Amino acid sequence: MAQVNWVYLDDQGGRHRVGLYHGDRSGHLMIHANRRVVQIDFSVLDSKTYSFFIEDELCEVIVDKMKNGYFGYEFRVNKKI
């Protein structure tokens, strides 16, 4: 099972913990922010983007299936929106 954690520092100095669990075989995925579940998805076996809010900021977690079959994970704040 893949487990990834990030710390997001907002513009007001707030600290937010974001994490992800992704099952190796099942593909089941859970994203949590500040100890609250914000997304659950089942059988995630391809690339996908998940969006959610932390306070007024639109945050995204990108699940990227690479050519070798492994997954890469990225967290970012969407400032364009």
Side-chain angles (χ1 to χ4, degrees):
M1 173 180 287
Q3 180 178 348
V4 183
N5 293 292
W6 299 275
V7 175
Y8 163 55
L9 302 174
D10 64 23
D11 294 337
Q12 289 78 32
R15 182 180 173 122
H16 306 278
R17 295 181 184 270
V18 178
L20 169 144
Y21 297 99
H22 190 199
D24 295 331
R25 294 187 186 105
S26 66
H28 298 346
L29 180 130
M30 181 187 73
I31 300 171
H32 58 89
N34 298 323
R35 297 184 181 178
R36 295 181 61 204
V37 175
V38 294
Q39 293 275 338
I40 294 178
D41 199 0
F42 300 98
S43 300
V44 178
L45 303 173
D46 289 313
S47 298
K48 201 164 183 184
T49 300
Y50 297 90
S51 300
F52 55 94
F53 281 94
I54 295 178
E55 297 185 6
D56 291 334
E57 298 292 336
L58 178 62
C59 300
E60 299 175 334
V61 170
I62 296 95
V63 177
D64 185 27
K65 185 171 184 179
M66 297 180 268
K67 293 180 183 178
N68 60 9
Y70 292 104
F71 286 89
Y73 306 97
E74 179 185 352
F75 170 81
R76 65 179 170 207
V77 177
N78 189 330
K79 297 285 187 180
K80 293 180 183 178
I81 303 270

